[in-house]
Amino acid sequence: MTTPSSTSSTAGRRSPRVPIVVTIIVLAALVIAFFIFASLYTDYAWFAQLGFQQVLTTRWLAGSAMFLAGFLGMAIPVYVSILLAFRLRPVYAKLGSQLDRYQQVIEPLRRVVMIGIPVVLGIFAGLATAPRWSMVLEYFNRTPFGKTDPQFGLDISFYVFELPFWRSVVAYASAVVLIAGLAAVAASYLYGAMRFGGREVRISRAARVQLSVTAAVYIALQAVSLWLDQYAALTKSNSLITGAQYTEVNATIPGREIMAGIAAIVALLFIVTAVIGRWRISIVGTGLLLVSAIVIGGIYPWIVQRLQVAPSERSFESAYIQRNIDATRDAYDVSGVKESDYDATTETATGALAEDAQTTTNIRLIDPKIVSDTFSQLQQSRQYYQFPDELDVDRYDIKGQTEDTVIAVRDIDLDGLSSAANTQYNRTFVYTHGFGVTAAYGNQRASDGKPVFLESGIPTTGALGDYQQRVYFGETSPPYSIVGAPKGTKNVELDYPSGSDDSNDANGGNATTTYQGNGGPSIGNFFNRLVYAAKFQSEQILLSNAVNPDSQILYDRDPITRVQKVAPYLTLDSDAYPAIVDHRLQWIVDGYTTSDAYPYSQSQSLSDSINGTETSSFRTDQVNYIRNSVKATVDAYTGKVTLYSWDTKDPVLKTWQKIFPTATKPVSQMSAELLDHVRYPTDLFKVQRSILGTYHVTNANSFYSGDDAWTTPSDPTATSNGSDTTNTTTTTTTNALGTQTTAARADQQDPYYLTMKVPGQGTAYTLYTTYIPQQTGSNARNVLTGYLAVDSDAGGSGKGKRASGYGKLTLLTIPKTDNIPGPLQVQNLFNSDTTVSQELNILKRGNSTVKQGNLLTLPVGGGFLYVQPVYVQSTSSGSYPLLQKVLVAFGDKIAFEDTLDEALNQLFGGDSGAAAGDQGASNGSSDSGSGTGSDSSGGSSDSGSTGSGSGSSGSGSTGSGSSTQSPELRQALADASAALQDRQQAYADNDLVAAAEADKRLQAAIQAAVSAEGDSGSGN
């Protein structure tokens, strides 16, 4: 038995624990609140520093308003429903023992339950509705398209902006009413307003009225939903097309109108039930609604499709297919494509390229996907710098002539730091930025196979002029860096290796700098340091004495990330490319406005179209409307983001300009130099080529038969380079029995940028792709059926003036009677040719590997010329690819020479009629480019000039001019090359005796080369 004293003693011992628990809870809540505040505060500081705080505040306000609307929209109806059921309960109802026990348990917590359940449901509803802020803002700021759909005659904006909004409202309201009704049923049952006895259900009058009205509202909402569904049929993907077909138009849509009317009548019947108290009439009405849904919504459309449409599908569906064709071409902005027949020849003739001399000169030999290692070995300079795996292609005016260039930013690489240098201090305060760009001529090569750089060294010098070279905002910048200091303070940020040998130099022979821009929020005061220490969970931000009153913190530094944050309504191109613009290094990013609600436009996966993989209807990124609405720039030094409204006719962009009126600038403010580097975006072109593969056909009957459907060929180099698997996609499928099948296939060939002349057009910076027949099976023919090109040159007309030809699509259609080899056929022709394979075997001798570069296709000489650079790389450490040979093909004829110029001459009867950009490279006369830079600190700044003989190569190349080869080896290789040419000519002349003699000389030359290489190796 417990005495009062012992009870008091126990209470006294336990009471101190209560304040401790409360204190812990309060402290935990304060810590959580502080981290939330730190996140919000730092976000605002980041946006405010860029001048886009309106974007953030609009998102906050709209998201908060949506959360509040979702919370109240759910919580209030559910609370009112429970409250009414409780207050209108029968006071003297006789309850069963089970219900009586339920009431005894719940009654003490009734107020908590009545308020808690609606609050919890409201929170979930608010969290679900908050992300829908963009849809709501689009609805209230919608802009007409000025075009109507062919079925209902409504403006396209109804489907893009209004229909998604109203369907979401109806769906949300239906969920609220359903949950409120279930809550009312539960409360009515618990308090005796609804009782079950055998087959009999007894409901009090008050409960009957409440439940009937709730059911009436719910059925009425379903009537509205059914009415809206008829419009949604125009954006539904069917087996044949996207959009309503004959059965939908003539059976499904009228059926939904009828069902909506029936649902409205049933809703009125529930109101009648509430008044007169008879459930039978509303139950019969509900049964009628269900039966009509089965008959009108399912059976009747099936009968129409099966018995009427299917036997003569083409004739019935023709008009609706035409709707789909017209809408799709308009939605993807390909309706204006200029189509022309191109009767390509396969015959070579002397001087055939004379009329295409400008195109021939600009043929790009430097493959941006292969030469990254070459750039790194020759121009990286230090291990804490890096170039991207795939370089970019651009064009620059060099001495009055436009030159295609391969360009790369020398960005920072913290993972390259040595273990001693890889400290938190160095990663935060010292190694803060990259430095400069390296650029090479796209159409030139040095005699030893290196690129010919027009901008090189560190600091960089060359043809691109003076510009701010420091890269604080790049694709591989650190997560955050702390920069800036008062004037007169010692510089600590590493600028570049200067090569100084001064032992008294405190910077260890490296040039240093202090950031002078305005690129990030200030952390000069204690409070800002505290919130950013919380954001990045780094005590160093708070405690380090390297942080000073002028310190800034730079983060979210990737160009695409920065643009995406300030323009959340855009879908961004996957590639941000650098350009020297007005003496500054700028990143250029393309932004798209998209929609999946354009009526009758074909839907496809955006990621699949861009990546060149198989389209899946289960992707969540389906679109059927796209525009390149915004061009964005990001300054590599200051991080400043500028958005230019590029497609001023786009209704989606106009809508967002109403929401964020100060976010974008007009094209008129783009400088002439910036416009010179703006290009047609690759991702948009990939989407359009995917569409035009099918929708180049504008006749509904031909479209239905599918006899002229095209596709983009697989990348031929994916299988040619052996271990190269970067261009393949692995797909795994599971059948009904659960058996998995994995298959790998090459992704589609990328489009390429080239300065060229497309037949019927002028010379321009062009993006192109090829087409082959869309077939399946092992007998698929890989012959060219089409050639799509787009004018990508936006500049040349001055400040704020876009070139008139920019964006014009040209589609060359090859007659079906022609048999022009496609890329895969040409690649197979290269690989199976005995002469080519023997020479490749020579190049592969020892520890060398051969990489076949991008296979370019050019419509020149009245046909199609294929050009492929061939690189050689040693497997030893520190090696890099060197361009040693060039493969060319025209029709079924090929040539394989040291230079493109030689290969073209051989292919076209000894004189092609035009000079290539690498003319003279084989004899060592190639210009090395202006400006090799200076780097005496041990990092190579080799410009790729003739005879440089970088010792780091180790490639063992056979190209002439290599300083590592002995005279005997060079002579043997020259003899082998001569023998190969003689043998090829002998076969062409059908002189078997001469061919046999040349073959003997070839074997002797190969043996001599092997012996000479062995002697050279032993001499080392």
Side-chain angles (χ1 to χ4, degrees), residues 92 132 150 179 283 285 366 432 501 525 660 672 741 782 814 958 1014:
Y92 301 106
R132 309 286 287 177
I179 293 174
I283 293 174
I366 304 301
T432 57
D501 293 328
N525 59 66
F660 303 126
T741 303
N782 196 275
I814 291 88
T958 63

Side-chain angles (χ1 to χ4, degrees), residues 1015-1020:
D1015 293 340
S1016 176
S1018 62
N1020 292 334

Side-chain angles (χ1 to χ4, degrees), residues 533-784:
K535 177 180 178 64
F536 291 105
Q537 300 181 22
S538 172
E539 71 283 353
Q540 189 175 46
I541 297 175
L542 184 63
L543 303 177
S544 176
N545 58 12
V547 181
N548 56 74
D550 288 350
S551 288
Q552 302 174 43
I553 184 165
L554 311 182
Y555 60 99
D556 288 338
R557 301 159 72 177
D558 176 71
I560 293 179
T561 300
R562 293 179 77 79
V563 175
Q564 190 68 81
K565 289 186 69 173
V566 302
Y569 52 90
L570 294 177
T571 299
L572 299 184
D573 196 274
S574 57
D575 181 34
Y577 57 97
I580 307 301
V581 177
D582 301 320
H583 306 291
R584 304 194 70 84
L585 175 57
Q586 300 275 1
W587 294 96
I588 302 177
V589 183
D590 285 286
Y592 311 114
T593 48
T594 62
S595 175
D596 62 353
Y598 197 101
Y600 273 107
S601 176
Q602 192 66 27
S603 179
Q604 65 176 354
S605 166
L606 187 62
S607 60
D608 283 340
S609 298
I610 292 172
N611 297 330
T613 54
E614 293 290 343
T615 301
S616 170
S617 59
F618 299 103
R619 297 284 192 183
T620 58
D621 61 344
Q622 299 287 322
V623 300
N624 65 1
Y625 173 89
I626 186 170
R627 289 293 186 274
N628 179 206
S629 52
V630 170
K631 300 284 187 181
T633 61
V634 178
D635 191 290
Y637 184 73
T638 65
K640 179 183 178 181
V641 178
T642 307
L643 306 177
Y644 296 98
S645 51
W646 187 250
D647 189 343
T648 56
K649 297 180 180 180
D650 176 30
V652 180
L653 177 62
K654 289 181 179 180
T655 296
W656 283 104
Q657 286 178 321
K658 296 176 185 177
I659 299 170
F660 303 126
T662 62
T664 59
K665 296 182 178 181
V667 174
S668 59
Q669 295 191 25
M670 298 180 74
S671 69
E673 193 168 349
L674 174 58
L675 284 168
D676 287 341
H677 293 281
V678 167
R679 69 190 189 191
Y680 201 82
T682 306
D683 286 356
L684 174 62
F685 187 70
K686 288 180 178 180
V687 172
Q688 290 175 325
R689 78 172 179 182
S690 176
I691 286 297
L692 281 174
T694 305
Y695 287 87
H696 68 278
V697 178
T698 56
N699 178 272
N701 290 334
S702 179
F703 183 95
Y704 177 84
S705 64
D707 59 350
D708 197 23
W710 303 342
T711 188
T712 305
S714 299
D715 186 353
T717 64
T719 55
S720 296
N721 291 330
S723 62
D724 183 11
T725 60
T726 58
N727 295 323
T728 60
T729 297
T730 300
T731 57
T732 301
T733 57
T734 305
N735 62 19
L737 299 177
T739 304
Q740 290 188 340
T741 303
T742 301
R745 69 169 197 89
D747 291 345
Q748 293 178 342
Q749 188 178 31
D750 284 336
Y752 298 119
Y753 290 100
L754 289 175
T755 297
M756 58 187 288
K757 181 180 180 181
V758 179
Q761 305 291 324
T763 300
Y765 190 62
T766 303
L767 182 63
Y768 82 87
T769 191
T770 58
Y771 287 112
I772 61 174
Q774 188 181 92
Q775 302 175 75
T776 58
S778 58
N779 294 324
R781 298 175 65 239
N782 196 275
V783 295
L784 282 186

